[in-house]
Amino acid sequence: MKTNTWLIRREFWENRAIWMIPAAFGGLLILAALFSRVNIPVLNTHVETHDFGGIFLFAIGTAFYLVMSLYAGWYLLDCLYTDRKDRSILFWKSLPISDASTVLTKLLVGLVIIPLVYFLAADVTALIAAFIVSIRARAAIGTALWQPDVWWQIQVLWIYVIVTTAIWYLPVAGWLLLVSAWAKRAVILWSILPPLALVLVERVFFSSHYVGEALNSRLMGLPAAAFRAGWKDGSDVEINGHVPGSIWRFINAGGFFTDAHTWIGLAAGVLLIVAAIQLRMRRSEI
Amino acid sequence: MAALIEAKDLTKKYGAHVALDRANFTIEAGRIVGLIGPNGAGKTSALRAILGLTDYEGQLTVLGREPFRDRTALMNECCFIADVAVLPSWLRVDHAIDFVAGVHPRFRRDRAMALLAKTQITGRRRMRELSKGMKTQVHLALTMAIDAKLLVLDEPTLGLDILARRSFYDALVNDYMDESRTILITTHQVEEVENLLTDIIFIDRGRIVMDTSIEDVAQRFTAVSVSSAHLDAARIEKPFYERQILGKVVLYYENGDAQKLAQLGELHTPSVADLFVAKLSGGTA
């Protein structure tokens, strides 16, 4: 346990981008809040006011989430490879740390810790931006941006997103770690080409496209089963009948954990991670 | 005394290439052993196997463990420097100490600090800001502060200038070595280490050519400088190698008859470097 905290600390020393990118991105959003034209719609009803606060937090969170996905993917793809590239693996391996703890720590950082850092950064940014916007826009908008119940709902939503996507993207993370532990060069190409080749081979020789569809549904956005229909385009017919702006209408934990794809992905992820650990044990140098 | 390292038919293949070919050797505790061979002889493969960095065929026990299966536990009692330039460039000196102190049960921080205090290196500097010699000092301070039973060094002074090399080996012998420790060094710079070794293992093309202690070398091997008049008589005594130096011929004998040989010319004990060349080139130079 003590070793694991040191391993996590090491990741923060090595990858300062873990906190620098969200800090810089938050800074940019705050600058935008300071200097951009504030063009706030007139909010007529209580429902609109309520939703506006939610949309504001949701938009900031989504922006952070997109940046985070790109960075976390890159982190997972690079982390084991870079140890071999600079040969520092020979230093890490001279210490009593198992390869399994090393790989699992990096997995934890990529799937949970990095998202949490961005989540925190999004919260801080939203707070400061809301403060700035309320001062600049005065009056009505102020109340729309400061609603504790909406804020709490968004917090729960993001934690839910982090948990479900960590599970959903486990096979993707496992694949990236596998490539990172294996490739001698060009990790980006190696991460993309084999799945692409598989899709093409299937299309040409079997004229089917199961692999492509599986990859597509795995990679595109958030796991669909974890959310209720209509969450994407806002066409949820229930909206007006419900508590205004309630986030609960999005969450579908039961659907996510009873979806076969969740468990198939989890199993594939475990296999890929075991393979990545085996490669880390055997491959020391490039 | 039980052997610290025992290899039996140790074999390592990379595809069709055989890096280690049924190598057998034992290393006892308390020794300073040089694993010596030309480039590509299998030195590094042997070390990688001993340190649990690769899998292998054959039997190998290090400190009573199977290194590849048990690397994590092995690294509690064994440490290694496999090339000095492997500390990651982003790592800060103080963080390096904190990290090793955090993960290694036998690391003694006070010792590392004392070793670093002798240098110009300050804690907040990153490895990328240090010269190669300084990086070596950091790595040595980290490694020598670990109470390990076995220290393995793979070409430890590669790329260092002569000053840094000398201080590296001085520190090793004076500050680190004692009866409870064993050091295994690979190098192809034989001259550099021959004064500190207690045992030598020659390796060539994946096979162990010779495995002996330095005391034994003096017993077993004789070099004789022979003038041309005695050359034919000297050749009858079955030298395993001969070499011409300044008009004289030096012939090398294993288990030769010292009295007979003394009549042929001047006797001396071959240096490890000479022996290395003699053993590995096989025949006339």
Side-chain angles (χ1 to χ4, degrees):
Chain A
M1 199 59 233
K2 200 177 115 215
T3 298
N4 290 329
T5 38
W6 282 106
L7 283 174
I8 291 170
R9 213 175 284 194
R10 175 222 147 151
E11 295 305 318
F12 278 86
W13 293 335
E14 179 174 4
N15 304 287
R16 282 187 290 169
I18 291 176
W19 57 268
M20 280 167 94
I21 294 177
F25 187 63
L28 274 178
L29 291 184
I30 288 167
L31 278 181
L34 267 175
F35 297 111
S36 66
R37 275 180 54 199
V38 182
N39 187 8
I40 289 151
V42 182
L43 306 170
N44 293 320
T45 65
H46 176 62
V47 174
E48 280 178 353
T49 310
H50 200 277
D51 274 355
F52 184 80
I55 289 164
F56 175 78
L57 288 171
F58 190 80
I60 289 182
T62 306
F64 271 93
Y65 187 86
L66 292 174
V67 177
M68 185 280 289
S69 315
L70 287 175
Y71 177 71
W74 166 249
Y75 166 85
L76 287 165
L77 187 55
D78 186 60
C79 61
L80 296 173
Y81 171 71
T82 195
D83 278 5
R84 290 182 298 129
K85 195 172 65 183
D86 68 7
R87 305 184 72 223
S88 62
I89 189 169
L90 293 171
F91 170 64
W92 305 115
K93 285 212 178 195
S94 74
L95 298 166
I97 301 166
S98 71
D99 296 298
S101 342
T102 303
V103 173
L104 292 177
T105 300
K106 287 170 191 287
L107 180 73
L108 180 77
V109 170
L111 281 185
V112 179
I113 293 178
I114 290 176
L116 283 175
V117 169
Y118 275 74
F119 169 66
L120 208 68
D123 265 356
V124 173
T125 306
L127 203 70
I128 298 173
F131 183 72
I132 293 169
V133 172
S134 355
I135 288 178
R136 290 186 63 198
R138 290 189 203 90
I141 195 71
T143 47
L145 290 175
W146 301 98
Q147 298 174 83
D149 62 324
V150 172
W151 189 84
W152 278 113
Q153 286 174 15
I154 292 282
Q155 305 307 298
V156 173
L157 178 71
W158 286 125
I159 294 291
Y160 177 72
V161 166
I162 290 172
V163 172
T164 50
T165 51
I167 296 167
W168 184 251
Y169 287 115
L170 195 75
V172 179
W175 169 250
L176 296 175
L177 284 172
L178 183 78
V179 171
S180 192
W182 177 81
K184 285 182 192 293
R185 64 185 74 86
V187 278
I188 294 181
L189 281 182
W190 277 114
S191 68
I192 296 169
L193 289 182
L196 205 64
L198 217 58
V199 172
L200 286 178
V201 165
E202 196 198 5
R203 187 164 297 173
V204 172
F205 291 99
F206 305 97
S207 50
S208 61
H209 35 264
Y210 293 111
V211 178
E213 272 169 15
L215 287 176
N216 197 42
S217 70
R218 183 65 56 174
L219 288 173
M220 287 306 122
L222 303 170
F227 301 92
R228 294 209 192 283
W231 65 277
K232 253 182 181 165
D233 50 14
S235 68
D236 192 333
V237 287
E238 299 278 303
I239 285 181
N240 294 326
H242 269 74
V243 185
S246 171
I247 233 72
W248 310 121
R249 68 176 188 265
F250 294 145
I251 290 177
N252 185 11
F256 180 66
F257 286 107
T258 52
D259 188 349
H261 294 99
T262 305
W263 298 101
I264 293 169
L266 200 65
V270 169
L271 287 178
L272 288 164
I273 288 155
V274 168
I277 293 171
Q278 286 297 317
L279 279 171
R280 171 81 178 185
M281 286 171 72
R282 285 173 170 79
R283 293 210 146 199
S284 312
E285 272 169 69
I286 290 181
Chain B
M1 198 184 288
L4 203 79
I5 301 178
E6 196 157 10
K8 223 172 157 190
D9 291 331
L10 182 62
T11 302
K12 175 70 193 173
K13 294 174 189 155
Y14 296 98
H17 173 67
V18 183
L20 275 176
D21 187 7
R22 281 162 292 150
N24 294 291
F25 55 91
T26 51
I27 291 172
E28 311 270 318
R31 316 293 290 182
I32 304 182
V33 183
L35 183 63
I36 297 162
N39 289 333
K43 297 185 299 266
T44 299
S45 295
L47 284 201
R48 294 284 147 88
I50 288 168
L51 296 168
L53 297 174
T54 83
D55 50 355
Y56 47 80
E57 294 161 45
Q59 281 175 29
L60 177 65
T61 50
V62 179
L63 292 157
R65 300 177 193 280
E66 272 182 59
F68 185 66
R69 260 187 30 201
D70 241 357
R71 184 185 63 81
T72 315
L74 181 63
M75 287 306 141
N76 277 320
E77 299 177 304
C78 159
C79 49
F80 70 86
I81 299 183
D83 189 341
V84 288
V86 299
L87 292 175
S89 62
W90 48 265
L91 186 61
R92 253 166 53 179
V93 175
D94 54 349
H95 284 166
I97 292 171
D98 290 345
F99 186 86
V100 180
V103 302
H104 207 302
R106 286 163 183 262
F107 181 77
R108 285 172 46 192
R109 178 188 281 271
D110 52 333
R111 193 140 98 204
M113 298 309 279
L115 286 163
L116 277 179
K118 292 185 197 166
T119 69
Q120 314 277 305
I121 302 160
T122 50
R124 294 185 64 85
R125 299 187 63 185
R126 289 177 199 282
M127 296 305 158
R128 74 167 79 88
E129 300 160 16
L130 302 179
S131 70
K132 201 158 184 188
M134 287 166 124
K135 261 185 253 176
T136 314
Q137 287 174 321
V138 175
H139 206 162
L140 263 181
L142 290 174
T143 307
M144 298 210 303
I146 293 170
D147 264 320
K149 292 184 182 143
L150 172 66
L151 171 63
V152 177
L153 302 168
D154 185 11
E155 300 281 1
T157 56
L158 207 68
L160 294 184
D161 62 38
I162 183 118
L163 288 173
R165 281 160 189 253
R166 187 63 62 82
S167 62
F168 176 90
Y169 286 115
D170 283 352
L172 198 63
V173 174
N174 298 328
D175 301 341
Y176 188 75
M177 193 59 197
D178 63 42
E179 323 73 67
S180 68
R181 303 188 200 275
T182 306
I183 301 180
L184 175 61
I185 304 177
T186 69
T187 179
H188 57 274
Q189 308 264 359
V190 192
E191 296 90 344
E192 206 170 80
V193 292
E194 75 172 287
N195 297 324
L196 55 111
L197 299 180
T198 63
D199 292 81
I200 46 175
I201 298 175
F202 286 167
I203 184 168
D204 188 29
R205 275 165 267 170
R207 312 207 69 153
I208 303 299
V209 180
M210 194 171 86
D211 177 2
T212 184
S213 70
I214 293 289
E215 303 100 79
D216 267 2
V217 168
Q219 299 266 326
R220 271 170 66 188
F221 296 97
T222 323
V224 190
S225 308
V226 182
S227 59
S228 48
H230 294 294
L231 193 55
D232 287 339
R235 280 185 175 148
I236 292 168
E237 298 300 320
K238 295 186 186 137
F240 64 89
Y241 178 69
E242 62 176 80
R243 172 182 177 212
Q244 291 213 314
I245 307 169
L246 301 170
K248 284 202 166 186
V249 180
V250 184
L251 293 102
Y252 293 83
Y253 298 90
E254 184 165 359
N255 299 320
D257 184 338
Q259 285 190 328
K260 257 190 198 168
L261 296 175
Q263 292 162 7
L264 300 167
E266 195 186 322
L267 297 190
H268 58 93
T269 303
S271 70
V272 174
D274 288 344
L275 209 55
F276 174 67
V277 174
K279 270 284 174 188
L280 264 64
S281 41
T284 315

